Amino acid sequence: MGSFCLLRSRCLPRQVGLPLVMHRQYSLDISAQLLRTQGYVNGQWINAPSTFPVLDPATGEEIAKVADCGPAEAKLAVDAAYKAFYSWKQHTAKERSVLLRKWYDLLTLNKEDLAKLITFECGKPMKESLGEIAYAAGFLEWFSEEARRVYGDVVPSAAKDRKILLLKQPVGVASIITPWNFPSAMITRKVGAALAAGCTVVVKPAEDTPLSALALAELASQAGIPAGVFNVVPCSREKTPSVGTVLCTDPLVGKVSFTGSTATGKILLKHAADTVKRVSMELGGHAPFIVFDSADVDKAVAGAMNSKFRNSGQTCVCSNRFLVQSRIHDCFIEKLGKAMDAELRLGHGSDPNTTQGPLINVRASEKVEHQVMDAVSRGAKVLRGGKRLDGSFHQPTLLADVTTDMLCTREETFGPLLPVIRFSTEAEALAIANASHVGLAGYFFSQDVSQIWRVAENLEVGMVGVNEGLLSTPEASFGGVKQSGLGREGSKYGIEEYLDVKYMCFGGLTP
């Protein structure tokens, strides 16, 4: 198998906070088979009339030019998926299970190359990218097993001459629209469930990270997933609205699954409403992280580091608002600052010493800068970091004396900003934590068992981490309440999102 090596020759200008490692050359050295730049429709690699560039967010340099699919290619993909659905749903659950397992095995076998793709197009440190590939493969493994556990029901009938059966059947073609921050795992979490249920899919990856999706398509082909079952239509930011419209309005599509911002989710919901499609929406978060007086402070600091700075704060479940009770506030702040000094290192994700890569683009870095400036103008103190650096880098930042009128406590940051609010009572903390129109994840640290039950039940979120800063796993349900979305992914409930329940009344029987 050949390899593809892309040299990165650009060096970032010297600036405070960026290490000398940023002045080296970097190369994306992976199997040529996995660096795909065309769309993938009906088992074939297809071109589009134009291309768009994929950039390394750490350097701004071009990694590749990818086919810029439009509405026509999206329609071809939907048609291919619709045609393939009628044969794919006839595969037995075991047959689908075996193919998903082969796909899982190939992800595991190629984990190093897949992780390199994530690092270069998304900016994650290599260690985190490897973790994402393990996470992504885990969904294929999980749903390969769940494929054989789709059970219907036999319901006792009130009439002696009838039998009541409830059957579960796949909904049809599913449009899968995924974000850039987990370019592999967000695909497999959705597609694994869909294919296990007997659905076929059309994937539209984020314009920033299409290479990971196309590499998954190559491995799906190698695993023997039939033509038309898994399709990928990459497109630029400019063509995203028109492609998205096709995927959400075409009458042949039976289901739309989207992960992204709440604002975009609302637009897609409106599109899907005209043909009354099934929808799953995993939307924005604004997670509270509460540290009570009874908490083990060292564990709370470790949890805060994991929850906030993974992927440089660019996850939908990362903590956004840190609430620390008065008695331990100063101790927590001091230990957290020392942990940031000891553990966080900015740089290119391919350098083994890097723990904080770039943000996905300059706009993301500017948003963090704006929130820091707003907080400082309202009285917050910068204890660590606080500066936007060259390109899309931003220093990990710790703010104290934060109040609820500041922008960073009212909107999702999606960056390495950690604002700390002091509170006095449990009731006050819950009121602040729940004062949001979204409710995806929440975290708190306490050693008071009664308090743990009270707070876990009263936090208005879909997922709660108790004395834990990382909670995502294929075995558990993932989803939010309020305007954080609809439906659940992962767990035994994830496959239900791709199934219809059909009632069959079998009458005329002789008792």
Side-chain angles (χ1 to χ4, degrees):
M1 184 181 293
S3 66
F4 178 90
C5 181
L6 178 66
L7 290 178
R8 320 295 319 140
S9 58
R10 181 174 180 251
C11 296
L12 291 177
R14 290 291 303 274
Q15 188 151 356
V16 176
L18 285 179
L20 290 174
V21 72
M22 291 307 300
H23 305 276
R24 301 174 186 169
Q25 289 186 337
Y26 299 94
S27 62
L28 175 61
D29 186 7
I30 65 170
S31 164
Q33 282 190 313
L34 291 180
L35 190 69
R36 293 289 186 172
T37 58
Q38 299 168 289
Y40 184 71
V41 175
N42 201 28
Q44 302 293 320
W45 296 102
I46 66 166
N47 292 315
S50 59
T51 61
F52 67 98
V54 179
L55 307 179
D56 178 346
T59 64
E61 288 292 297
E62 183 177 298
I63 302 170
K65 291 185 182 295
V66 173
D68 193 4
C69 295
E73 290 78 20
K75 177 58 177 171
L76 283 175
V78 169
D79 289 347
Y82 185 75
K83 181 179 179 181
F85 170 64
Y86 286 94
S87 58
W88 178 245
K89 72 175 183 178
Q90 296 301 326
H91 281 61
T92 66
K94 183 175 182 179
E95 289 170 337
R96 295 195 296 269
S97 173
V98 168
L99 289 173
L100 284 169
R101 179 70 194 200
K102 288 180 179 178
W103 197 10
Y104 158 80
D105 289 337
L106 286 169
L107 259 70
T108 302
L109 181 66
N110 291 275
K111 63 183 179 181
E112 292 284 340
D113 281 356
L114 295 173
K116 289 177 184 177
L117 276 178
I118 292 174
T119 289
F120 271 83
E121 67 177 348
C122 176
K124 285 184 184 180
M126 190 64 179
K127 182 178 178 180
E128 288 191 21
S129 296
L130 285 166
E132 179 180 342
I133 294 304
Y135 185 48
F139 284 109
L140 296 182
E141 179 185 39
W142 173 260
F143 285 114
S144 73
E145 296 162 351
E146 286 299 289
R148 301 180 69 179
R149 302 189 189 115
V150 177
Y151 304 129
D153 295 291
V154 178
V155 181
S157 173
K160 294 182 179 180
D161 63 344
R162 296 179 183 179
K163 296 293 182 183
I164 296 174
L165 294 89
L166 303 181
L167 312 178
K168 292 185 178 179
Q169 298 182 318
V171 299
V173 176
S175 292
I176 307 295
I177 304 174
T178 57
W180 51 262
N181 58 336
F182 286 87
S184 291
M186 293 304 94
I187 292 175
T188 59
R189 188 164 73 185
K190 298 172 186 292
V191 171
L195 268 57
C199 297
T200 55
V201 301
V202 179
V203 176
K204 193 212 83 66
E207 64 273 11
D208 296 299
T209 55
L211 300 177
S212 292
L214 295 169
L216 290 178
E218 169 62 30
L219 295 180
S221 175
Q222 292 181 24
I225 304 294
V229 171
F230 181 74
N231 306 274
V232 181
V233 284
C235 67
S236 62
R237 185 181 301 274
E238 291 72 25
K239 288 188 179 177
T240 289
S242 59
V243 170
T245 298
V246 171
L247 297 182
C248 293
T249 62
D250 193 296
L252 300 184
V253 172
K255 162 85 179 185
V256 176
S257 180
F258 169 73
T259 294
S261 72
T262 298
T264 301
K266 290 178 179 179
I267 294 171
L268 300 183
L269 278 169
K270 291 177 181 177
H271 285 322
D274 284 342
T275 46
V276 196
K277 300 186 189 305
R278 290 277 296 276
V279 295
S280 296
M281 296 278 155
E282 194 265 281
L283 307 178
H286 191 36
F289 187 105
I290 308 171
V291 186
F292 290 102
D293 282 341
S294 68
D296 181 318
V297 175
D298 290 331
K299 289 182 179 179
V301 167
M305 293 292 290
N306 286 332
S307 179
K308 176 75 263 185
F309 295 113
R310 184 169 59 116
N311 197 19
S312 298
Q314 299 174 111
T315 78
C316 55
V317 294
C318 79
S319 299
N320 217 59
R321 299 166 291 157
F322 288 76
L323 289 69
V324 184
Q325 201 156 12
S326 296
R327 184 170 62 83
I328 62 167
H329 175 274
D330 294 349
C331 177
F332 177 83
I333 286 277
E334 180 183 358
K335 290 189 174 186
L336 181 60
K338 290 179 179 178
M340 291 174 64
D341 293 340
E343 298 177 25
L344 303 183
R345 296 288 181 270
L346 284 164
H348 194 286
S350 61
D351 185 272
N353 294 317
T354 295
T355 65
Q356 297 288 284
L359 301 188
I360 189 63
N361 51 42
V362 171
R363 293 188 308 277
S365 183
E366 289 174 343
K367 180 180 181 181
V368 179
E369 180 185 40
H370 178 60
Q371 289 193 359
V372 172
M373 292 173 64
D374 170 81
V376 171
S377 72
R378 297 173 186 270
K381 295 179 181 177
V382 178
L383 302 184
R384 294 293 191 281
K387 295 181 180 180
R388 185 165 77 87
L389 305 176
D390 187 79
S392 59
F393 282 88
H394 196 288
Q395 290 179 327
T397 299
L398 174 61
L399 298 181
D401 297 340
V402 174
T403 56
T404 56
D405 63 332
M406 297 175 184
L407 197 59
C408 59
T409 69
R410 293 188 285 112
E411 68 177 30
E412 189 175 25
T413 302
F414 239 63
L417 171 58
L418 198 158
V420 179
I421 303 170
R422 185 194 297 262
F423 74 90
S424 298
T425 67
E426 179 184 310
E428 180 188 1
L430 282 169
I432 295 172
N434 291 335
S436 175
H437 67 278
V438 295
L440 187 58
Y443 308 85
F444 69 94
F445 280 70
S446 170
Q447 297 186 89
D448 180 332
V449 175
S450 295
Q451 182 177 63
I452 286 172
W453 281 109
R454 288 194 306 270
V455 174
E457 291 182 342
N458 284 287
L459 276 176
E460 296 172 357
V461 296
M463 298 172 283
V464 180
V466 182
N467 297 324
E468 179 56 62
L470 296 175
L471 46 67
S472 299
T473 180
E475 295 84 1
S477 63
F478 191 103
V481 298
K482 298 181 177 179
Q483 295 184 38
S484 281
L486 303 168
R488 292 294 182 268
E489 295 184 337
S491 79
K492 68 177 183 179
Y493 299 106
I495 199 168
E496 299 290 337
E497 299 289 331
Y498 297 89
L499 294 166
D500 286 326
V501 178
K502 177 184 285 185
Y503 162 41
M504 183 175 79
C505 179
F506 190 174
L509 302 176
T510 302

